[in-house]
Amino acid sequence: MSSECDYLVIGSGIAGLSFALHAAEHGRVVVVTKKRADDTATNWAQGGIAAVLGDDDSFEDHIADTLAVGDGLCRPDVVEFTVREGPAEVRALASLGVAFARDDEGRLDLTREGGHSKRRVAHYKDVTGSEIQRALLAAVERNDRIRVLDDHIAIDLLSMAKYGGEPACFGAYVLENSTGEIHSIVARATVLATGGAGKVYIYTSNPDVATGDGIAMAYRIGAQVANMEFIQFHPTVLYHPHAKSFLVSEALRGEGGILKRADGTAFMDGYHSMGSLGPRDVVARAVDNELKKSGADSVFLDMTHLDRDFVLSRFPTIAQRCRNLGIDVTRQPIPVVPAAHYLCGGVLADSTGQTTVRNLYAIGETAYTGLHGACRLASNSLLEGVVFASRAARAVQGAQLVRPDHVAPWQSGDATDSDDAIVVALNWDEVRRFMWSYLGIVRSNKRIERARHRIELLRQEIAEYYWDFKVTSDIVELRNLALVAHLIIDSARRRKESRGLHYTLDYPAKNSRARDTILHLTDGPPP
Ligand code: SIN
């Protein structure tokens, strides 16, 4: 079945839904989301959204902090407009109904996070993301120009290159999970807002949906992707056998939490002048170093010196989750370890989200816009999501539909395979384990080469499987995950220096000139 709309949005987090709400003012929007519409990384975001909102803050300070953490790779013009447009975007979210925390006089309560010189993170307790997601979804549901297709996964983008035309995107093939039917959805502009790819790693703070789908699809039709080696590892994910992917927000350190060894000694002052609130790359490497030196399973985040009532009212969700696992955060330090958290690279996009392929846009974590450079400043990601959603929604008005007369139906094998589930699960597990071991916080040439051999073998196996058997969402995700792993490995191989989030034992110093790593289809083996 084929259908048509003005704007096709793939992904339903802050970037995708914000774009949909703006774009619905001038066109019909379809939002495709592969599980439930609130199954997003946004919904899991704890910290908040950074913007210049405090009396003691300035655009110059927020810009300087972003550039310092980005370690020479941020695009200064992008940082400048994103920071300047931030306050209006936060106010727009508040007008939409997001209940940001406020003081008794109604002023926004601003918290601090790593790398910020000022308090500038607007939040809702310790569940800011789910509050934003709730408000955006409620607004989308009230809007009859937006249609949300949940339980639908995009398989591949529709490209004019397949029809002998210039490279231009005109929609996507989409699998309806409940029926197994594959639809083509044709659109004037297609917007990738599929989030990041934390599931490439065995330990991650991300939800299961974070499999890099948008990046893989864009790369397959020839879009350029940039700086995929910059994976941000969050230093404090809860360490407990029954706690899967549970983040312990940096806001705890912003409010006075201290990182300690098992013997109770604080260690961050030896690594950075901002101590436990240093930039995230520095803190994650420090924790990794402490764990390797001591052989311990975790380090600890200590909140026990802070006022009990404050901790419980400011961080109710984290406190409850820990309590369920037998940890009273007001009396016991919280065991934490680093885990993959955020992809700073992505589909190369300009200041409106336009990619290098006509009529294809990328926004939010899926994109590389130049805001984050080599390392993202905490809570700048929700900010990027809303700023670029507004900009892209203005830009797509000018998109002209380029499409063939007849859209070829999707073609793949029809056979089903009884081994399907087990093969997919084993391949998935293998990728995630070797990526953690070889492309983690500390890298080396030898580790990167090992990963390269493994990923190419796996991708061959997946490709055969992909074309011989009937397509399922598990196979679609595995194919994307393996391609994204390949892009991370290839980018890491090309960077012969240590900068920001990319640290390698073979090139511990930083080059004098900062360059982006840009890949596109002709640079590697076919996906
Ligand atoms: C956190 O709450 O620690 C995460 C904030 C972020 O990743 O920006």
Side-chain angles (χ1 to χ4, degrees):
M1 200 188 78
S2 180
S3 63
E4 208 172 307
C5 59
D6 291 300
Y7 311 121
L8 172 63
V9 183
I10 305 174
S12 57
I14 187 169
L17 295 187
S18 300
F19 171 88
L21 287 166
H22 291 300
E25 288 169 19
H26 44 79
R28 292 161 303 135
V29 185
V30 171
V31 178
V32 164
T33 186
K34 63 183 177 176
K35 293 214 166 128
R36 282 196 337 253
D38 61 358
D39 241 320
T40 65
T42 298
N43 208 16
W44 286 29
Q46 295 179 353
I49 179 164
V52 176
L53 299 157
D55 295 340
D56 67 336
D57 201 1
S58 69
F59 291 135
E60 289 69 28
D61 285 346
H62 190 181
I63 290 168
D65 292 347
T66 303
L67 293 173
V69 171
D71 207 6
L73 268 185
C74 296
R75 295 194 183 163
D77 58 324
V78 173
V79 174
E80 166 116 24
F81 73 65
T82 305
V83 164
R84 288 186 184 276
E85 290 168 24
E89 293 293 348
V90 173
R91 285 187 204 106
L93 285 173
S95 309
L96 204 69
V98 177
F100 289 114
R102 293 181 185 271
D103 65 17
D104 295 342
E105 279 142 42
R107 285 184 305 234
L108 285 169
D109 175 57
L110 302 173
T111 194
R112 228 180 126 182
E113 289 183 52
H116 287 275
S117 58
K118 297 279 164 52
R119 287 189 166 259
R120 64 168 70 98
V121 179
H123 67 97
Y124 173 73
K125 299 182 184 168
D126 53 357
V127 284
T128 314
S130 72
E131 172 58 11
I132 293 176
Q133 183 85 39
R134 177 202 65 70
L136 288 172
L137 267 178
V140 162
E141 275 158 20
R142 291 194 296 270
N143 193 315
D144 59 10
R145 289 161 73 89
I146 305 174
R147 198 163 153 233
V148 178
L149 300 177
D150 54 16
D151 212 21
H152 283 63
I153 182 167
I155 305 174
D156 261 327
L157 297 170
L158 295 165
S159 165
M160 283 305 289
K162 288 259 155 58
Y163 299 83
E166 52 152 351
C169 178
F170 60 96
Y173 289 115
V174 172
L175 168 67
E176 183 173 354
N177 285 323
S178 59
T179 61
E181 270 181 73
I182 294 167
H183 310 287
S184 42
I185 303 182
V186 171
R188 277 203 289 139
T190 302
V191 180
L192 300 171
T194 58
K199 296 300 281 190
V200 169
Y201 290 89
I202 193 88
Y203 303 113
T204 175
S205 62
N206 290 187
D208 288 345
V209 292
T211 52
D213 303 336
I215 296 162
M217 286 190 292
Y219 181 80
R220 282 197 289 268
I221 67 159
Q224 294 184 358
V225 300
N227 294 344
M228 293 291 289
E229 65 275 38
F230 296 115
I231 307 292
Q232 187 164 65
F233 292 86
H234 197 292
T236 61
V237 171
L238 186 59
Y239 175 75
H240 189 280
H242 302 306
K244 188 189 162 212
S245 316
F246 188 72
L247 189 71
V248 180
S249 176
E250 204 156 280
L252 275 78
R253 280 174 281 137
E255 298 297 350
I258 299 172
L259 281 166
K260 295 189 171 169
R261 303 182 179 99
D263 65 7
T265 51
F267 58 84
M268 270 314 300
D269 285 344
Y271 291 92
H272 197 272
S273 56
M274 292 173 89
S276 292
L277 256 198
R280 208 172 275 176
D281 56 331
V282 178
V283 183
R285 266 198 303 279
V287 173
D288 184 64
N289 189 41
E290 289 294 324
L291 295 178
K292 285 190 175 129
K293 265 193 335 200
S294 64
D297 290 331
S298 75
V299 294
F300 294 86
L301 179 57
D302 191 359
M303 303 289 288
T304 58
H305 54 291
L306 299 173
D307 179 72
R308 180 187 153 81
D309 292 341
F310 168 72
V311 171
L312 295 180
S313 62
R314 174 67 181 82
F315 303 109
T317 314
I318 294 169
Q320 182 61 47
R321 183 67 165 262
C322 289
R323 194 174 309 121
N324 293 346
L325 297 168
I327 304 161
D328 176 351
V329 300
T330 64
R331 290 165 183 271
Q332 294 160 275
I334 309 165
V336 289
V337 286
H341 181 62
Y342 192 88
L343 175 58
C344 289
V347 183
L348 189 64
D350 72 8
S351 60
T352 66
Q354 168 73 61
T355 71
T356 54
V357 169
R358 184 170 169 191
N359 293 343
L360 180 65
Y361 290 75
I363 53 176
E365 193 173 349
T366 309
Y368 181 79
T369 62
L371 174 66
H372 307 312
C375 182
R376 176 184 63 103
L377 183 67
S379 288
N380 265 359
S381 41
L382 295 179
L383 173 68
E384 185 188 42
V386 279
V387 167
F388 278 81
S390 296
R391 290 178 150 253
R394 289 195 292 275
V396 290
Q397 290 186 73
Q400 303 281 337
L401 178 62
V402 186
R403 60 163 297 175
D405 294 337
H406 172 72
V407 181
W410 171 263
Q411 283 198 319
S412 71
D414 311 315
T416 47
D417 182 359
S418 55
D419 288 341
D420 177 351
I422 185 71
V423 173
V424 171
L426 286 175
N427 285 346
W428 181 288
D429 194 60
E430 191 178 340
V431 174
R432 299 183 68 207
R433 282 184 192 283
F434 73 67
M435 286 300 285
W436 181 261
S437 304
Y438 300 145
L439 269 295
I441 297 173
V442 177
R443 300 164 179 177
S444 70
N445 284 348
K446 207 155 104 191
R447 291 175 196 170
I448 293 172
E449 277 312 302
R450 283 193 178 133
R452 197 164 75 88
H453 286 304
R454 282 180 165 70
I455 198 66
E456 295 325 325
L457 286 173
L458 260 170
R459 288 182 67 228
Q460 273 169 25
E461 194 177 314
I462 294 165
E464 283 161 26
Y465 201 81
Y466 191 77
W467 294 112
D468 288 349
F469 297 102
K470 204 168 171 174
V471 69
T472 63
S473 60
D474 286 347
I475 296 175
V476 170
E477 285 188 329
L478 175 63
R479 177 191 185 219
N480 292 338
L481 194 83
L483 175 53
V484 169
H486 158 79
L487 295 172
I488 295 169
I489 295 165
D490 199 14
S491 303
R493 236 177 109 225
R494 289 167 193 241
R495 186 165 292 281
K496 309 265 187 253
E497 63 168 345
S498 291
R499 179 186 296 278
L501 297 159
H502 177 73
Y503 182 78
T504 165
L505 298 172
D506 292 293
Y507 310 100
K510 198 161 25 186
N511 291 341
S512 51
R513 199 156 152 229
R515 287 171 202 263
D516 292 325
T517 309
I518 297 185
L519 302 178
H520 64 105
L521 201 47
T522 55
D523 293 331

